[in-house]
Amino acid sequence: MEISFRFLVIYLVILFSFAFIGVAASSSSPHEDFLRCLSLHSPNSTLISQVVYTPINSTYIPVLDYSIQNLRFRTPCTPKPAVIVTPVEISQVQATVHCSRTYGLQLRVRCAGHDYEGLSYLSGVPFILLDLLNLRAITVDAENARAWVQAGATIGELYYSIGMKSKTLGFPAGSCPTVGVGGHFSGGGHGMMLRKYGLAADNIIDAQIIDVDGNLLDRELMGEDLFWAIRGGGGNTFGVVVSWKVRLVPVPKIVTVFDVGRTLDESTINLIHKWQYIAAQKLPDELYGRMSFRRPDWNATIQFSLQALYLGGATELLDVMGSTYPELKLKREDCTEMSWINSTVFFAGFPGQPLEILLNRSSDTKNYFKNKSDYVKKPISKFAIEEILKWFFMEEPGVPFMIWSPYGGIMSEISESSIPFPYRAGNIYDIQLSAAWTRGSVDEASKHIAWVRGLYDFLTPYVSKSPRAAYINYRDLDIGMNNEFGNTSYWQAKVWGTKYFNRNFDRLVRVKTMVDPSNFFRNEQSVPPFFLEDGKLEPM
Ligand SMILES: Cc1cc2nc3c(=O)[nH]c(=O)nc-3n(C[C@H](O)[C@H](O)[C@H](O)COP(=O)(O)OP(=O)(O)OC[C@H]3O[C@@H](n4cnc5c(N)ncnc54)[C@H](O)[C@@H]3O)c2cc1C
Ligand SMILES: *[C@@H]1O[C@H](CO)[C@@H](O)[C@H](O)[C@H]1NC(C)=O
Ligand SMILES: *[C@@H]1O[C@H](CO)[C@@H](O)[C@H](O)[C@H]1NC(C)=O
Ligand SMILES: *[C@@H]1O[C@H](CO)[C@@H](O)[C@H](O)[C@H]1NC(C)=O
Ligand SMILES: *[C@@H]1O[C@H](CO)[C@@H](O)[C@H](O)[C@H]1NC(C)=O
Ligand SMILES: *[C@@H]1O[C@H](CO)[C@@H](O)[C@H](O)[C@H]1NC(C)=O
Ligand SMILES: *[C@@H]1O[C@H](CO)[C@@H](O)[C@H](O)[C@H]1NC(C)=O
Ligand SMILES: *[C@@H]1O[C@H](CO)[C@@H](O)[C@H](O)[C@H]1NC(C)=O
């Protein structure tokens, strides 16, 4: 009774805000009204005009393209924003939220544009692109092992700032330095220190967000429910994150890395098979070793590589590997000792290059790609591994790529409901499968996408079920999506929502209903609020 009354009130609020939009948007086109509103609501109208782009500005396309990672979404036919705003001040973020809401324009928020499906910079309806790339200040407090990082920064910029301040502090996030903290932390974020320190989102201790009403809220003001939801519940759903406060983690002065490659044959199948039993369950938390598979050219067979970070010296590492994984025959020459910050450059794929490469937001080679993800809870048999790897011969060499990333360690100790990311104890590793290609034709795309989907179907018996788990940062619209009207039902969203969030999905829906009942912040895979149908709340 009490609950349905609350939702009735929310429903009336929605009705009123739609009525208000109707009146406001009467005269000119919505985006002209938006521009006028923006200028009116910005403290300095000269300043705002310098960060607003429409298709008449010659810099509109370069600014739009700058952060697009997946070339599938950088074509003349890709839907484009009516306006791009690249705020340099928080008040401009507030004005952008206020004015797009007032004029019924959808808002897409972008940090560094790595979303696999391009959701941060494209939409099927008229929209505004809020690109945070200018808001990327980082303040490191090494003494207290804390940092504030603005949401437009990349993880490479964060690592660099930490490295400049301390040789014994680090941060557990992804290995590709061009990934943005805005999207990455909003979806969890994992990398080479996952087994020791968990996800990036496990290490967030405060945040500043702009809510649907344009208010700036920190942890205390937003409350623990919303603070819980933004640490992994997906971006563009609860508000615009302006900055994160993170806990930095201790790292030794010297760490050890290796990246050893092997060609596929009978003995290496044994190696791969055994990896499943040790990588998450036997190795110390200080050691993280992920396995990847590729087929470089027509004449070659499959190459796999084991890439690892050990938070300690090489001698110790060799001891550990000798006793748990002697089959790898790891040698001293395979191992390189270095500082943690140098290891981030190594795993970024630029071994030995100056640290400044971490600041380069366009160091990636861009291509066309489709990736999908899975979780493995029971080791896959040798026979099945061979069958899976046969798929690499059904595609052009160079196109298929697969990574197996181990869990375990502290990941098995953190509770499933600690933050929205649910895949903790019981998950041995995640699989990321992908096809990446360099020619832009539609035929190419459909051929390669069909291959990835085919392999994904083939994996069904070997991976998690009910739900078939997926990782939101490896965005995949194949697993289900919202409708385009913004009125997606709880049940429709639960199809994809359960795969990403499992039992945390319902709590995310409750938080969303509380903070954004009109579903202003949304995309194809944002958690929707409850909607009233026939005066009744849908059952949970
Ligand atoms: C080359 C490459 C390497 C990767 N490596 C890893 C890895 O090692 N580990 C891993 O876990 N993941 C990895 N990822 C996946 C990555 O974590 C996600 O794609 C992540 O969402 C990217 O964040 P972004 O800010 O760059 O992307 P964007 O496309 O800018 O944003 C992603 C989503 O977050 C939303 N968003 C962005 N900023 C904000 C904000 N300030 N407030 C609210 N919502 C926001 C966007 O609207 C969008 O929905 C990789 C991706 C790529 C392309
Ligand atoms: C407004 O911004 C412009 C451009 O940055 C600057 O030159 C000017 O001093 C600002 N005006 C005020 C009142 O702050
Ligand atoms: C885009 O063009 C408009 C109109 O000429 C101008 O006012 C604005 O400053 C331009 N934007 C940028 C970023 O230069
Ligand atoms: C593959 O092998 C054939 C025959 O040895 C050779 O002619 C060809 O150049 C090789 N192709 C590649 C891509 O290495
Ligand atoms: C880190 O890398 C730089 C540049 O390659 C190198 O000069 C330096 O010796 C390295 N330091 C450590 C401790 O690994
Ligand atoms: C960033 O990296 C790209 C690709 O490696 C390179 O072409 C470009 O010059 C780099 N930019 C800077 C500023 O170093
Ligand atoms: C998924 O996509 C990104 C972007 O191209 C790529 O860097 C990554 O390696 C892909 N595949 C896998 C298996 O991670
Ligand atoms: C959502 O809105 C559309 C367009 O107004 C309407 O056709 C559709 O029936 C609505 N769907 C639901 C589930 O309410």
Side-chain angles (χ1 to χ4, degrees):
M1 203 53 208
E2 202 184 284
I3 294 209
S4 29
F5 178 73
R6 241 187 63 213
F7 285 97
L8 182 65
V9 171
I10 288 169
Y11 182 59
L12 291 176
V13 170
I14 298 171
L15 275 186
F16 277 116
S17 42
F18 279 137
F20 172 61
I21 289 163
V23 173
S26 56
S27 58
S28 46
S29 82
H31 95 257
E32 284 165 19
D33 289 331
F34 169 82
L35 290 173
R36 218 166 295 126
C37 172
L38 200 58
S39 158
L40 214 65
H41 285 86
S42 302
N44 180 334
S45 60
T46 314
L47 197 56
I48 190 83
S49 80
Q50 292 167 350
V51 297
V52 171
Y53 305 80
T54 66
I56 64 156
N57 297 97
S58 60
T59 40
Y60 168 88
I61 290 290
V63 168
L64 177 62
D65 286 354
Y66 179 70
S67 295
I68 295 182
Q69 290 297 320
N70 193 341
L71 297 181
R72 281 171 60 207
F73 309 113
R74 208 182 86 182
T75 72
C77 317
T78 309
K80 297 190 172 42
V83 181
I84 304 172
V85 186
T86 57
V88 290
E89 284 179 354
I90 292 172
S91 64
Q92 296 172 340
V93 179
Q94 292 170 296
T96 306
V97 169
H98 171 78
C99 296
S100 18
R101 188 174 178 218
T102 303
Y103 291 100
L105 285 158
Q106 204 174 93
L107 187 69
R108 292 293 163 118
V109 185
R110 180 164 78 174
C111 169
H114 285 57
D115 194 290
Y116 285 178
E117 302 273 13
L119 301 193
S120 56
Y121 52 85
L122 64 86
S123 169
V125 301
F127 70 106
I128 305 295
L129 171 55
L130 176 61
D131 190 330
L132 298 176
L133 87 168
N134 290 325
L135 285 177
R136 57 173 198 261
I138 298 170
T139 329
V140 174
D141 172 2
E143 206 169 309
N144 297 301
R146 299 286 186 261
W148 272 104
V149 50
Q150 277 189 316
T154 62
I155 55 176
E157 291 166 345
L158 175 60
Y159 294 163
Y160 183 88
S161 304
I162 298 168
M164 290 299 106
K165 281 281 177 74
S166 165
K167 292 185 171 19
T168 51
L169 288 173
F171 189 71
S175 43
C176 169
T178 59
V179 163
V181 303
H184 190 61
F185 295 9
S186 296
H190 58 56
M192 306 303 291
M193 295 200 289
L194 178 76
R195 307 188 64 250
K196 178 73 180 170
Y197 296 118
L199 303 165
D202 291 324
N203 293 282
I204 296 170
I205 50 179
D206 201 343
Q208 289 187 308
I209 73 166
I210 306 294
D211 72 3
V212 65
D213 298 315
N215 299 315
L216 177 65
L217 309 175
D218 65 4
R219 177 174 183 170
E220 204 186 326
L221 286 171
M222 77 179 88
E224 289 304 303
D225 281 326
L226 180 51
F227 182 62
W228 174 83
I230 59 172
R231 287 174 293 158
N236 216 74
T237 305
F238 304 99
V240 180
V241 176
V242 175
S243 56
W244 303 108
K245 185 179 189 184
V246 295
R247 178 196 306 128
L248 305 180
V249 301
V251 293
K253 275 209 175 80
I254 290 297
V255 304
T256 308
V257 306
F258 67 82
D259 186 352
V260 297
R262 297 282 189 269
T263 302
L264 198 68
D265 60 24
E266 215 170 291
S267 73
T268 48
I269 292 285
N270 287 331
L271 259 185
I272 298 165
H273 182 250
K274 181 160 182 198
W275 174 91
Q276 302 177 96
Y277 292 86
I278 58 146
Q281 288 148 318
K282 294 267 165 62
L283 298 179
D285 298 359
E286 289 71 25
L287 180 52
Y288 177 96
R290 65 181 179 191
M291 205 163 268
S292 65
F293 304 85
R294 69 177 82 234
R295 183 176 159 234
D297 63 61
W298 289 105
N299 292 347
T301 181
I302 296 165
Q303 310 281 325
F304 80 87
S305 83
L306 179 62
Q307 206 179 42
L309 170 68
Y310 180 61
L311 299 171
T315 312
E316 243 173 75
L317 171 62
L318 285 163
D319 278 353
V320 171
M321 293 299 278
S323 58
T324 48
Y325 201 31
E327 299 86 348
L328 185 68
K329 302 193 176 71
L330 187 72
K331 294 194 283 291
R332 180 65 184 82
E333 336 45 299
D334 297 326
C335 303
T336 315
E337 292 187 328
M338 58 179 70
S339 59
W340 173 79
I341 190 67
N342 282 16
S343 81
T344 68
V345 174
F346 178 87
F347 293 114
F350 303 102
Q353 289 203 30
L355 296 181
E356 282 64 34
I357 191 83
L358 297 171
L359 304 177
N360 186 335
R361 291 176 78 106
S362 42
S363 62
D364 277 330
T365 335
K366 293 185 179 178
N367 50 23
Y368 302 79
F369 66 90
K370 171 71 194 173
N371 294 17
K372 297 173 80 69
S373 61
D374 261 313
Y375 283 82
V376 176
K377 301 180 136 200
K378 278 204 309 268
I380 301 176
S381 71
K382 283 180 207 170
F383 175 74
I385 292 173
E386 282 181 280
E387 293 300 305
I388 291 166
L389 293 177
K390 279 184 187 156
W391 276 77
F392 278 64
F393 294 98
M394 297 183 225
E395 246 291 14
E396 247 174 77
V399 173
F401 187 48
M402 186 163 65
I403 302 189
W404 295 4
S405 307
Y407 278 57
I410 197 179
M411 286 298 278
S412 300
E413 283 154 37
I414 298 174
S415 107
E416 284 177 42
S417 58
S418 161
I419 62 169
F421 178 96
Y423 300 115
R424 307 286 185 168
N427 294 281
I428 319 179
Y429 57 102
D430 81 33
I431 294 185
Q432 189 177 185
L433 44 150
S434 85
W437 60 99
T438 52
R439 292 179 301 267
S441 80
V442 178
D443 286 354
E444 280 284 321
S446 45
K447 185 172 72 187
H448 301 310
I449 293 171
W451 179 86
V452 184
R453 288 179 180 154
L455 175 53
Y456 182 78
D457 286 344
F458 187 80
L459 288 176
T460 308
Y462 312 115
V463 296
S464 64
K465 314 175 177 42
S466 315
R468 183 163 182 182
Y471 174 36
I472 191 169
N473 270 343
Y474 297 159
R475 174 100 58 202
D476 180 6
L477 294 184
D478 295 350
I479 66 170
M481 57 176 143
N482 298 333
N483 71 34
E484 65 203 270
F485 308 110
N487 61 1
T488 300
S489 75
Y490 164 79
W491 294 108
Q492 189 185 348
K494 198 171 171 101
V495 172
W496 60 263
T498 304
K499 292 174 198 276
Y500 286 150
F501 306 117
N502 204 1
R503 283 182 284 269
N504 291 327
F505 178 68
D506 285 0
R507 184 171 175 198
L508 287 169
V509 173
R510 278 193 213 103
V511 177
K512 173 72 176 181
T513 310
M514 199 166 66
V515 303
D516 183 20
S518 70
N519 205 14
F520 169 69
F521 293 110
R522 67 173 185 270
N523 63 30
E524 288 76 355
Q525 283 181 342
S526 58
V527 171
F530 289 118
F531 280 100
L532 279 177
E533 269 178 9
D534 306 322
K536 262 200 257 151
L537 181 64
E538 287 181 329
M540 280 200 57

